[in-house]
Amino acid sequence: MPDPFLLLIAAVFAFAGFVKGVIGLGLPTVSIGLLAVAMPPAQALAIVIVPAIITNIWQTFAGSYLRDILRRLWPLMLGTVIGIRLGSGLMTGPYARYGTLVLGVLLVVYGIFGLSRARFQVSPAYEKWLGGPVGLVTGIVSAATGVQVIPSMPFMQAIGLEKDELVQALGVFFTTATLALAFNLTDAGLLSVATALPGAIALVAAFAGMFAGQAVRTRMHPDLFRRWFLVSIIGLGGYLAAETLVRLFG
């Protein structure tokens, strides 16, 4: 892999880690979205997978809500794993050429939803019944794009998790989903020695960005940062979708 490409990976993951340090999420979403400008989503995910797993494991145990999270979210996580396995060929099979288009549309939807501040409420009596189907859809979308935020993120907000509990829940959920994606990549032969150096650079850069983001979080207004982050995500998604449409049908 040429040196400029490694520098691109370091810059992307430093920024994605910074975003995660400030708002508690966004590393896979940002890094896959930015890397998809220069490579297919499957190749981007192969680089993202190790940093995402390690940083999410760290986030999983950075809190005291783990038992309650597992009790409430196991249907969501189980459905997501099943969906990822069912969609194992979407990122590398005959539909792989549409992956960047789907990713772009997904980023636009994610950004618009975040900016809208729309909030739903799910009664505790229904959260386990809804968790499985929401997870299944999330898993299939994730298998095609590598991104796990739609519709899982709105669902976790809708069941009334407190702020700190939500941050830890995201770590637990993303760890589970990313491990399932790792099996898909292994089956497709995309995790190999060739991804070791880019993955190591990505991991170091992501942690450096996370520590920087955590350091400035107290001095930065998180809502303002989050707003501009979501606007940027919409712009990136729109570019990816438009560029793919031109390449496919232009």
Side-chain angles (χ1 to χ4, degrees):
M1 189 170 288
D3 290 344
F5 222 54
L6 296 177
L7 291 175
L8 170 66
I9 290 170
V12 165
F13 277 87
F15 176 67
F18 180 81
V19 171
K20 187 176 180 69
V22 174
I23 64 176
L25 72 155
L27 191 144
T29 305
V30 173
S31 51
I32 291 176
L34 290 173
L35 289 177
V37 175
M39 64 182 73
Q43 186 180 352
L45 180 60
I47 298 171
V48 169
I49 205 81
V50 172
I53 289 173
I54 293 177
T55 55
N56 283 320
I57 288 175
W58 172 81
Q59 188 172 327
T60 292
F61 296 100
S64 58
Y65 304 99
L66 183 57
R67 181 178 296 181
D68 186 57
I69 289 168
L70 293 175
R71 179 181 60 81
R72 297 182 66 180
L73 294 185
W74 71 262
L76 174 70
M77 293 188 289
L78 178 61
T80 300
V81 170
I82 293 172
I84 287 173
R85 295 303 292 166
L86 288 176
S88 59
L90 292 177
M91 193 176 284
T92 56
Y95 300 103
R97 61 188 183 134
Y98 300 106
T100 306
L101 173 62
V102 176
L103 175 62
V105 172
L106 182 67
L107 292 177
V108 171
V109 171
Y110 172 65
I112 292 174
F113 178 83
L115 287 175
S116 71
R117 298 282 185 174
R119 292 293 180 268
F120 306 101
Q121 287 189 334
V122 174
S123 166
Y126 298 107
E127 67 179 54
K128 282 189 170 64
W129 292 100
L130 288 175
V134 169
L136 188 66
V137 174
T138 300
I140 293 173
V141 171
S142 181
T145 65
V147 177
Q148 307 122 23
V149 293
I150 297 294
S152 61
M153 184 72 176
F155 175 79
M156 283 188 275
Q157 292 173 328
I159 64 175
L161 296 174
E162 299 295 331
K163 181 180 178 182
D164 292 339
E165 188 177 10
L166 177 60
V167 171
Q168 188 175 6
L170 290 171
V172 176
F173 174 74
F174 290 147
T175 298
T176 303
T178 308
L179 285 171
L181 283 170
F183 281 101
N184 283 9
L185 292 177
T186 302
D187 290 344
L190 290 173
L191 284 182
S192 64
V193 176
T195 61
L197 178 59
I201 291 173
L203 180 61
V204 172
F207 268 110
M210 281 178 61
F211 288 129
Q214 290 170 343
V216 303
R217 180 163 52 188
T218 56
R219 306 173 192 172
M220 180 184 299
H221 198 295
D223 286 341
L224 180 62
F225 179 84
R226 181 176 178 276
R227 188 177 307 120
W228 283 108
F229 161 68
L230 291 170
V231 169
S232 301
I233 283 290
I234 292 172
L236 174 62
Y239 170 78
L240 290 173
E243 189 270 339
T244 307
L245 286 172
V246 170
R247 177 162 44 83
L248 291 174
F249 306 110

